[in-house]
Amino acid sequence: MADYDVIVIGGGPAGYAAALAAAANGATVALVEPERLGGACVNHSCIPTNTFTNALATHIDARELDVHGVIEAGERFHWARAVARKDVLVRLLAEGIGTALRQRKVRHLPGRASFRDPATIDIRGADGPSSLSAEAFVIATGARWEPPMIPGMAPEQVLTADSVLALPAAPSPALVLGGGPAETAFALEYAALLAGAGAAVTLAVPSERLVPALDAEIAQAAATFLSDLGVQVCCGWTPVRGDGVSVTLTNGEAEIEARAGAVVAVDARRPHVAGLNLVAAGVTAADRIAVGPDCRTNVPHIFAAGDVTGGAMLSGAAAHMGEVAGVNAAGGMAHTQLRTLPHLLHTVPELAWVGQSEAVARATGVQVRVGQADLSFNPRAVALGSRQGLVKVVADAGLGELLGVQVAGPGAGEIIAVAAALMQAEVTVDDLAAMVAWHPSMTEGLIEAARRSLG
């Protein structure tokens, strides 16, 4: 008889979501995680970044109000204090995950797991080695940063997300590198964050467009936001070498110099499969673990979820996949629904998108309707002190199906959440145009864009 019905390997969004879902479906569950619960999202990337960008946005708003004499605000952004606040909030969230697991009677086992055979794992923990068996497994080991090697730059000068937000001060001058296998564009967040904190920042991305997933006008709006913060944006450039104080960038034809005492590479992530001994389990994996819509690997009782499977490599997707994997590992039947997965960058202001861009939709041969709304005329945006922003709606010209929405401006997260829900519910652009939103609200910009698409 197996020790557990389900053993989850990894304690990030995919892992703890899988453990909670399996336990909720009646399974006995153990979760193996060598570090603090929450994974990279809680401890090193999403949550820490959000605490910083929220503090920065508040700082910028305060300076705006200071100009108008509403409040008195200082000019300085206190990076070290933001680090201390971040550490407190991260610890609270990690503790909350532990509490949720205990409430569902999920046993947390500190240690590193590797497969001995398809039914057994070995655990190397502080209390010594041990082994456990299970009827089913969920692999949720996430991704690891693999910062690029830049000749002439010392390894400690090339920073990843976990190291940047642990520094006592913002690194300056800094070169932030975009690109990466997930094309998540989190580099934009860090460029905005560092510049807003007073650092001299250059952002270099390998593509000709700042964010390849976005249409030109939205990407240009994002570039304008960054430029307003003082970021020097370089599209189509990649690093070739450095000398400790600067980095040479090339576009294949020419070279330019960017001042850089530090290089920040937050999008350089790879699925983490090292040390799992997947061969012993019979799981086929190359640079990632391939799964179907049910999150099942090629071994029927072994599932995988989250960043370790590649794909979007986003925490929202990971948690959704983890829940599906947990349900199925406990004997249920569930499938992933990632067609309307929203993307949100916490730049200042925000940048968000869901579904297809106009360019992608047209490339598939679909006849589309497109509508745009200028957020600089949105009453809620004006009340927030914003002077720029754009909402774009892409819809099927014949069926009226919402194909995609892109937003650059304040409240992008609010707008894209509404758009994703409407797309999931298969609401048409005609239905969206007929909606009545709360006034004033940012969502009015989404409705206005839909109406414009109908002419």
Side-chain angles (χ1 to χ4, degrees):
M1 181 176 177
D3 296 306
Y4 290 92
D5 294 328
V6 179
I7 292 179
V8 178
I9 305 174
Y16 65 73
L20 293 173
N25 280 267
T28 57
V29 184
L31 182 148
V32 184
E33 169 58 56
E35 302 175 3
R36 187 161 60 182
L37 292 170
C41 172
V42 170
N43 295 294
H44 304 303
S45 52
C46 309
I47 304 306
T49 304
N50 267 247
T51 63
F52 265 78
T53 53
N54 177 66
L56 173 63
T58 303
H59 174 64
I60 292 174
D61 288 343
R63 289 191 302 182
E64 168 78 9
L65 294 173
D66 195 351
V67 169
H68 293 283
V70 178
I71 64 173
E72 294 183 2
E75 285 295 316
R76 182 184 174 194
F77 180 81
H78 293 276
W79 182 278
R81 295 179 188 175
V83 170
R85 177 174 180 268
K86 175 263 298 184
D87 290 342
V88 170
L89 296 177
V90 164
R91 185 180 68 253
L92 288 174
L93 283 174
E95 291 172 352
I97 294 169
T99 299
L101 293 175
R102 288 192 296 273
Q103 289 176 340
R104 288 286 176 86
K105 298 185 177 359
V106 175
R107 185 183 178 191
H108 172 212
L109 302 172
R112 299 187 182 278
S114 62
F115 283 94
R116 176 184 295 183
D117 55 53
T120 312
I121 59 169
D122 293 322
I123 302 174
R124 303 179 305 283
D127 297 330
S130 61
S131 63
L132 290 173
S133 61
E135 298 292 339
F137 295 88
V138 177
I139 301 170
T141 46
R144 294 295 183 271
W145 283 285
E146 291 187 0
M149 297 297 293
I150 301 176
M153 299 297 286
E156 60 268 21
Q157 289 182 289
V158 183
L159 308 173
T160 54
D162 55 340
S163 54
V164 172
L165 299 186
L167 295 174
S172 180
L175 170 65
V176 180
L177 298 179
E183 294 187 355
T184 45
F186 291 129
L188 276 67
E189 291 187 345
Y190 280 77
L193 176 59
L194 295 176
V201 179
T202 300
L203 172 64
V205 298
S207 57
E208 292 298 328
R209 186 172 295 169
L210 187 59
V211 183
L214 300 179
D215 286 318
E217 59 269 47
I218 304 292
Q220 181 55 51
T224 300
F225 296 162
L226 293 170
S227 296
D228 288 347
L229 287 171
V231 178
Q232 181 180 353
V233 179
C234 300
C235 294
W237 297 84
T238 56
V240 289
R241 61 185 175 276
D243 60 10
V245 294
S246 65
V247 173
T248 301
L249 304 174
T250 182
N251 64 358
E253 299 178 355
E255 293 184 349
I256 59 174
E257 297 293 320
R259 292 191 305 128
V263 176
V264 180
V266 295
D267 288 325
R269 297 183 296 148
R270 297 287 189 279
H272 182 58
V273 297
L276 289 173
N277 195 18
L278 295 178
V279 173
V283 174
T284 302
D287 58 340
R288 64 184 183 91
I289 299 177
V291 296
D294 58 358
C295 292
R296 198 181 304 268
T297 69
N298 63 295
V299 179
H301 71 284
I302 299 179
F303 301 80
D307 290 358
V308 74
T309 66
M313 296 178 73
L314 296 170
S315 297
H320 173 64
M321 292 180 71
E323 184 172 357
V324 168
V327 168
N328 292 338
M333 293 181 63
H335 293 83
T336 55
Q337 297 285 345
L338 295 172
R339 182 181 66 88
T340 57
L341 176 68
H343 295 68
L344 175 63
L345 296 179
H346 295 276
T347 49
V348 183
E350 296 173 335
L351 186 67
W353 65 97
V354 62
Q356 298 177 341
S357 65
E358 178 185 358
V360 169
R362 291 190 186 280
T364 62
V366 175
Q367 296 295 317
V368 300
R369 291 177 174 175
V370 177
Q372 295 183 18
D374 187 344
L375 289 181
S376 63
F377 295 102
N378 177 276
R380 177 60 179 162
V382 172
L384 291 172
S386 177
R387 298 175 180 82
Q388 54 189 336
L390 183 68
V391 181
K392 182 174 182 177
V393 167
V394 181
D396 186 304
L399 301 175
E401 177 187 4
L402 282 171
L403 301 176
V405 175
Q406 301 179 32
V407 187
E414 168 198 330
I415 297 172
I416 217 64
V418 174
L422 295 175
M423 290 176 63
Q424 181 71 27
E426 299 183 348
V427 169
T428 68
V429 69
D430 301 82
D431 294 328
L432 172 56
M435 283 179 58
V436 178
W438 177 258
H439 178 79
S441 69
M442 302 304 300
T443 307
E444 289 178 300
L446 174 64
I447 296 172
E448 177 64 21
R451 290 172 178 168
R452 288 179 180 273
S453 75
L454 299 177

